[in-house]
Amino acid sequence: MSHRMRFGIFLAPFHKPGINPTLALEQDLELIIAVASQRTRTIRLGTGVVSVSYHNPLWVTERIVQLDHLTRGRVMLGVGPGSLPSDGIMVGISQSQTRLLLEDGLDVIMKLLTTEEPVTFKNDRWDLRDARLHLRPYSNPLFDVAVPAVASPTGPKLAGKHGVGLLSIGATTAAGFDALALHWDVMEAQAAHYKTKVDRSKWRLVGLVHCAETMDQAYRDVEYGIEQWFDYFQAVAAFPQMAVPGNNVKEMISFVNDSGFGAIGTPDMVNAQIDRLWKQSNGGFGAYLMLAHNWANFDATRKSYDLIARHVFPRWQGQLSTVGAAQRARASRPELAAIHSKAVEDATARYQAEAAARAH
């Protein structure tokens, strides 16, 4: 394939309650390095996501620009409305406010990033007066900016308006999967209206996978933590878009695999999952991010990433030429083997003739 898909991790802190938090964060960093196919100095890190409704957009922009300089252009800015009501309550914001605040905040952020004009803006939450950045961005062109999408058109509308990327966090949920092609249509319509440009290579889809060398091993691996992960979305997080039924490990695995929510099994199943998403997107996307989940322990998770790097990346990055070469060699082997054998026979006959001539 001519398109080379990018791969990465969407790393939320889905850690089992009660484990050492410092160790959990340290292992998260190790996993980031483990999944990278290039040297660590090239890894890009992004916010996934900054809930803009909870933060002054001027300071959000200042912080990401400083990181842009410190990393020499290896940052990405993901922004969202703030989807957990329990977070919003602590800062006096209801879910009815968050999406409008995201729209206002992203308008401010993009003006600060793309122009040197002072920004004056006021709403019920922020009052900016001739706001300017202390530093201009290091990246030229600007580092990637992305907004999330689950099922509603809010994210695609903003992505199209500002010409930024889309992060489809709920791509494998039933509603999110059905909306994939619609989301791109919304982005293109918004881009045409606001005279911006959208790029499929900046569209990132997030999905859940865990693989091992056999399906039985993959199933045993996820016994470690899948019940705690499901319990978080069933009983803790007030996030109805992530409805995950199941009362035991067997039912949970069946839901993941049978519904298309994810893939627990072999690398071939991961390839099939990405192929399904690719077709549903009606034109493709730029990156597939594996949602980190703690279903399996650290060693099994690292093994899963290794298998994916070995057996999934090549298919989507145009690196299967060795398979074609092997198939061509296999097909021509009988003919080439006969030619080789004949050459050996001819060489042997010439030697015997030369030896016989010297003997006389």
Side-chain angles (χ1 to χ4, degrees), residues 294-356:
N294 256 195
W295 287 348
N297 66 29
F298 178 73
D299 290 336
T301 301
R302 186 165 55 183
K303 177 66 173 178
S304 175
Y305 286 148
D306 180 71
L307 288 169
I308 291 168
R310 291 174 184 273
H311 302 294
V312 178
F313 287 15
R315 174 176 174 184
W316 300 97
Q317 295 178 337
Q319 299 295 336
L320 287 181
S321 57
T322 55
V323 175
Q327 291 173 341
R328 291 190 296 273
R330 182 186 297 275
S332 61
R333 183 179 185 278
E335 179 184 355
L336 295 178
I339 294 172
H340 180 73
S341 296
K342 182 65 167 60
V344 172
E345 292 174 4
D346 290 346
T348 302
R350 285 196 302 272
Y351 170 75
Q352 291 172 343
E354 291 170 358

Side-chain angles (χ1 to χ4, degrees), residues 3 47 51 76 80 90 98 111 160 167 169 174 182 213 219 222 234 237 258 262 270 280 286 289 303 312 331 335 340:
H3 171 81
T47 60
S51 298
M76 299 172 286
M90 291 189 287
T98 57
K111 288 175 183 175
L167 180 64
I169 298 175
L182 172 63
E213 291 175 339
Y219 288 4
V222 302
Q234 290 174 343
D258 296 345
V270 179
Q280 182 68 9
L289 306 183
K303 177 66 173 178
V312 178
E335 179 184 355
H340 180 73

Side-chain angles (χ1 to χ4, degrees), residues 165-303:
L166 188 68
L167 180 64
S168 292
I169 298 175
T172 58
T173 64
F177 180 79
D178 290 343
L180 283 179
L182 172 63
H183 281 177
W184 186 257
D185 291 343
V186 170
M187 288 178 66
E188 287 191 321
Q190 288 287 98
H193 177 74
Y194 288 100
K195 296 181 172 54
T196 61
K197 292 182 179 180
V198 288
D199 183 351
R200 281 185 180 267
S201 71
K202 295 182 179 181
W203 189 8
R204 297 168 173 86
L205 270 61
V206 179
L208 289 140
V209 295
H210 176 80
C211 68
E213 291 175 339
T214 66
M215 289 185 64
D216 286 344
Q217 183 60 56
Y219 288 4
R220 288 195 296 271
D221 287 349
V222 302
E223 289 176 353
Y224 168 83
I226 195 171
E227 289 179 299
Q228 288 81 5
W229 191 91
F230 267 63
D231 179 68
Y232 174 74
F233 285 105
Q234 290 174 343
V236 179
F239 193 54
Q241 295 92 336
M242 292 286 284
V244 286
N247 297 310
N248 53 57
V249 171
K250 183 178 180 181
E251 290 181 5
M252 292 168 184
I253 292 173
S254 294
F255 165 73
V256 170
N257 285 337
D258 296 345
S259 69
F261 186 66
I264 299 173
T266 63
D268 286 343
M269 294 174 64
V270 179
N271 272 319
Q273 175 75 336
I274 297 174
D275 185 61
R276 174 174 169 267
L277 292 166
W278 184 273
K279 291 174 180 175
Q280 182 68 9
S281 71
N282 196 28
F285 48 91
Y288 180 77
L289 306 183
M290 294 168 280
L291 180 62
H293 43 59
N294 256 195
W295 287 348
N297 66 29
F298 178 73
D299 290 336
T301 301
R302 186 165 55 183
K303 177 66 173 178

Side-chain angles (χ1 to χ4, degrees), residues 67-140:
L67 284 173
D68 189 33
H69 282 267
L70 291 173
T71 61
R72 299 294 193 272
R74 292 189 293 128
V75 297
M76 299 172 286
L77 175 61
V79 296
S83 297
L84 296 176
S86 54
D87 288 346
I89 288 171
M90 291 189 287
V91 291
I93 294 177
S94 73
Q95 288 294 296
S96 63
Q97 299 171 278
T98 57
R99 284 167 177 77
L100 290 176
L101 286 171
L102 171 61
E103 293 182 20
D104 289 345
L106 187 57
D107 283 346
V108 171
I109 290 169
M110 294 308 296
K111 288 175 183 175
L112 289 168
L113 288 173
T114 58
T115 75
E116 296 190 36
E117 297 299 317
V119 176
T120 296
F121 175 82
K122 185 175 182 178
N123 63 9
D124 292 339
R125 185 159 178 78
W126 307 307
D127 186 359
L128 300 178
R129 307 176 186 185
D130 290 336
R132 299 174 184 264
L133 296 179
H134 291 88
L135 296 173
R136 298 309 305 162
Y138 174 90
S139 297
N140 184 25

